[in-house]
Amino acid sequence: MSEEQKRLLESKLWGIANILRGKISADDYRDYILGFIFYKYLSERQYLYANNLLETESVKDYLKLNDPELLEAIKEESLQALGYFLKPEELFASITAKGNASTETDSNYILEDLKAVLNHIEQSTMGTDSEEDFNDLFSDIDLSSNKIGRTVKARNEVVVQILNHLDSIDFRLEDIESDVLGDAYEFLIGKFAAGAGKTAGEFYTPQQVSKILAKVVTTGKDKLKSVYDPTCGSGSLLLRVAKEAEVTEYFGQEMTRTTYNLARMNMILHGIHYRRFNIAQEDTLMHPQHLDYKFEAVVANPPFSAHWKGDEHSLFHADERFSQYGRLAPKTKADFAFMQHMLYQLADNGIMASVFPHGVLFRGAAEGQIRQYMIKEMNVLDAVIGLPANIFFGTSIPTCIVVLKKCREQDDNVVFIDASGSDHFIKVGNQNELRDSDVELIVQTYRERKTIDKYSYVASLAEIAENDYNLNIPRYVDTFEEEEPVDLDATAAAIQQLDAALKSNDAVLKAFCEELGIKAPF
């Protein structure tokens, strides 16, 4: 598929939003649109897979199949290969056709049928390996909600409109790479994030930031056994890593139910088999779901300075993730708690790269003690990368990327990069945005561990100790620009010329005032 066809697909999918825009909030219609796109995707995969199984049968079109034995055989095969099963009458095409039925002869009411279909997709997986991946997957699509229409008839009309619009879009699953539709889905998630304000950070990391994190954690590798994101949102960071290296397994945890559903849909839409991802829903700090694993790559964009229980939860003092540091992160700033958690889950041969607010670099008290322990005792800090302000949706604060490694090749220094300067990003609308060239410079500088004037500095551990383990980037990267020297003689001469000109103007004005018989204003 060409770039032009890809953009056309994205444009058509985003066009669905026009049906609901103005009727309900963006957060709400996001769930309906992304959910229905996912339903169409599952239907088309089922249809293509079933037709492939029917190649040697007399009935070769799954939509026309009514043989109970063949249907049962296809169900068993589908649950193994796809992780779910849809009957012919449950396919997207069948439901859409009913929605377009002539109201004079047949009912076009589809809400109950559609609700039953979405429930059946989840129920078809019960007792199978994919049950957890499909459980409550469509729970955010409330077809009885007044948000999409005040009456049953109005709600039915809106849903039929959406399905018809989707039906006109050919996903072409049989002849395109799975990532094309997946990337279009990511495009939609990004579009929704742009309009979601503060809530956008809950489910989306800007693509250019994702790209930096993915390239950093895949440094020196083209294959990864596993990648983990403890605050995975829509799963975009996990999927971005797969563009830089071949990933065997994906692991993530997400607290918000709606976003957890979005992450699972995103995985499946990108062609990730249900056996290759493990996304859990829970509070990562309170109830971590993957503590028995160590991961080769860890990426994250945790909520900035979130509140957590900290000292109020007595078990945290004995928790292996936090106990060795002697202090817990403050209750009002969980940044270091997330960092400690990620470091605990990191494999010895792995790299962790995560976004944090700048405060983690210099705040004192408990955070200062934890930071010093990580550098002095554990020697796991590999790099600090300063990002421009206002590149994240919903916040304008400056942020940084902290890179940790348990087994560092260059274990006597730390790379500091200041990519926050105005020549290292562009302004797009209300946001600042990194260009591809900005991303490449950051990644190249990290990998080559170079000192570049006014951009990066490779600091020794001794220098960091001299700074009392304060990692504030300006302490290491000097971006000060000297002002051009002022020629005082020339400036004085210019002032004298201006003074003479002013006196001349005053004399002219005074003469005009005398002619008019009015008092001069000076």
Side-chain angles (χ1 to χ4, degrees):
M1 180 177 273
S2 69
E3 279 298 314
E4 184 179 345
Q5 289 171 313
K6 180 181 172 184
R7 283 194 296 272
L8 183 62
L9 174 61
E10 291 171 347
S11 176
K12 284 183 176 180
L13 290 174
W14 182 239
I16 306 170
N18 293 326
I19 298 171
L20 294 175
R21 191 176 291 114
K23 295 180 181 178
I24 59 177
S25 72
D27 275 352
D28 289 321
Y29 70 65
R30 177 194 74 202
D31 299 332
Y32 290 98
I33 291 172
L34 295 179
F36 288 144
I37 290 172
F38 185 63
Y39 166 46
K40 176 177 166 70
Y41 170 78
L42 294 180
S43 291
E44 293 200 1
R45 279 191 73 201
Q46 176 69 80
Y47 182 67
L48 290 172
Y49 183 73
N51 281 352
N52 187 52
L53 295 176
L54 290 170
E55 279 185 352
T56 58
E57 303 296 332
S58 56
V59 177
K60 301 184 186 304
D61 187 343
Y62 185 53
L63 279 168
K64 298 176 181 177
L65 184 67
N66 54 22
D67 184 322
E69 290 186 10
L70 275 177
L71 282 170
E72 186 60 31
I74 289 173
K75 178 180 179 180
E76 290 180 14
E77 293 287 339
S78 297
L79 287 172
Q80 280 295 315
L82 305 179
Y84 64 93
F85 173 67
L86 281 163
K87 301 173 187 175
E89 64 270 22
E90 295 174 330
L91 294 177
F92 183 92
S94 301
I95 298 297
T96 304
K98 183 175 181 180
N100 290 313
S102 169
T103 53
E104 294 180 4
T105 55
D106 299 295
S107 170
N108 67 349
Y109 177 65
I110 62 170
L111 295 185
E112 291 302 322
D113 288 346
L114 184 54
K115 182 178 179 181
V117 169
L118 300 182
N119 286 337
H120 183 256
I121 293 173
E122 297 170 6
Q123 291 166 1
S124 73
T125 69
M126 293 179 71
T128 71
D129 292 343
S130 62
E131 179 178 0
E132 190 175 323
D133 298 313
F134 283 84
N135 182 42
D136 282 339
L137 197 52
F138 294 98
S139 60
D140 295 303
I141 301 178
D142 184 358
L143 298 175
S144 61
S145 172
N146 288 333
K147 292 175 180 177
I148 56 171
R150 297 183 66 181
T151 65
V152 172
K153 183 183 180 191
R155 291 195 287 273
N156 193 71
E157 287 175 354
V158 167
V159 170
V160 169
Q161 271 187 289
I162 296 172
L163 298 190
N164 279 334
H165 189 103
L166 269 175
D167 195 44
S168 69
I169 302 172
D170 186 0
F171 286 0
R172 295 171 59 198
L173 296 186
E174 69 278 10
D175 60 10
I176 64 172
E177 320 88 59
S178 60
D179 260 7
V180 173
L181 180 60
D183 286 348
Y185 202 68
E186 284 272 319
F187 165 82
L188 286 185
I189 293 171
K191 293 282 281 184
F192 284 122
K198 289 186 177 180
T199 61
E202 294 177 5
F203 62 88
Y204 189 72
T205 300
Q207 282 195 5
Q208 296 295 68
V209 178
S210 296
K211 194 182 293 186
I212 295 169
L213 297 173
K215 287 179 178 291
V216 165
V217 299
T218 55
T219 296
K221 298 178 179 181
D222 53 18
K223 290 183 179 180
L224 290 173
K225 184 179 178 182
S226 58
V227 59
Y228 171 63
D229 183 345
T231 56
C232 68
S234 65
S236 61
L237 266 177
L238 293 169
L239 293 163
R240 179 68 232 186
V241 173
K243 292 185 180 294
E244 304 299 331
E246 183 182 327
V247 176
T248 303
E249 291 183 289
Y250 303 80
F251 294 81
Q253 189 164 334
E254 173 55 41
M255 186 166 65
T256 306
R257 182 79 203 182
T258 298
T259 314
Y260 165 63
N261 290 342
L262 187 55
R264 292 184 293 166
M265 290 182 188
N266 206 6
M267 286 284 157
I268 294 168
L269 264 164
H270 275 83
I272 310 299
H273 193 275
Y274 68 88
R275 290 194 182 94
R276 290 179 54 212
F277 70 86
N278 181 334
I279 309 292
Q281 189 210 355
E282 260 297 356
D283 182 320
T284 298
L285 298 179
M286 283 293 294
H287 304 290
Q289 299 295 300
H290 303 103
L291 282 185
D292 293 336
Y293 298 89
K294 299 294 181 186
F295 303 107
E296 197 171 351
V298 178
V299 288
N301 176 20
F304 298 158
S305 300
H307 288 221
W308 74 309
K309 290 192 178 295
D311 283 325
E312 288 181 3
H313 191 61
S314 58
L315 294 178
F316 279 150
H317 290 283
D319 191 313
E320 289 185 353
R321 293 174 294 167
F322 315 118
S323 58
Q324 65 178 306
Y325 299 88
R327 299 283 296 275
L328 291 173
K331 288 184 292 184
T332 58
K333 294 179 179 65
D335 306 307
F336 267 100
F338 280 112
M339 196 185 300
Q340 290 165 298
H341 170 84
M342 287 184 269
L343 181 59
Y344 180 83
Q345 302 261 202
L346 186 65
D348 288 344
N349 67 332
I351 303 175
M352 183 213 98
S354 178
V355 179
F356 292 101
H358 263 217
V360 301
L361 304 179
F362 54 80
R363 290 193 298 247
E367 292 179 293
Q369 182 172 323
I370 296 168
R371 184 172 60 245
Q372 179 173 332
Y373 190 90
M374 283 186 172
I375 300 167
K376 183 179 179 182
E377 306 300 332
M378 302 177 75
N379 194 12
V380 293
L381 180 66
D382 201 48
V384 175
I385 302 167
L387 299 174
N390 202 34
I391 60 169
F392 287 89
F393 297 115
T395 180
S396 60
I397 65 170
T399 53
C400 64
I401 294 172
V402 174
V403 184
L404 303 182
K405 294 175 72 174
K406 288 183 176 177
C407 298
R408 303 201 302 131
E409 296 83 1
Q410 304 277 340
D411 62 359
D412 59 348
N413 60 55
V414 175
V415 180
F416 288 83
I417 299 172
D418 187 349
S420 65
S422 59
D423 51 343
H424 298 300
F425 64 88
I426 57 172
K427 193 167 185 63
V428 179
N430 294 325
Q431 299 290 133
N432 293 328
E433 189 174 291
L434 295 164
R435 298 158 294 196
D436 286 341
S437 57
D438 301 319
V439 170
E440 287 305 318
L441 181 58
I442 290 171
V443 175
Q444 182 182 1
T445 304
Y446 165 72
R447 288 176 174 172
E448 296 179 5
R449 306 186 81 79
K450 297 189 296 187
T451 292
I452 301 173
D453 187 42
K454 302 187 188 314
Y455 183 75
S456 66
Y457 182 72
V458 181
S460 68
L461 295 181
E463 287 177 88
I464 295 173
E466 287 173 11
N467 279 303
D468 294 324
Y469 300 95
N470 184 318
L471 304 177
N472 204 14
I473 297 172
R475 287 177 176 248
Y476 304 92
V477 182
D478 182 7
T479 57
F480 177 75
E481 296 281 354
E482 277 193 27
E483 294 182 6
E484 289 185 16
V486 177
D487 187 333
L488 294 177
D489 291 336
T491 303
I495 291 171
Q496 287 176 347
Q497 287 180 348
L498 285 171
D499 190 48
L502 284 169
K503 287 178 180 177
S504 174
N505 288 339
D506 286 347
V508 172
L509 284 171
K510 186 176 180 181
F512 285 148
C513 288
E514 287 174 354
E515 284 182 30
L516 295 169
I518 60 175
K519 187 178 179 181
F522 45 83

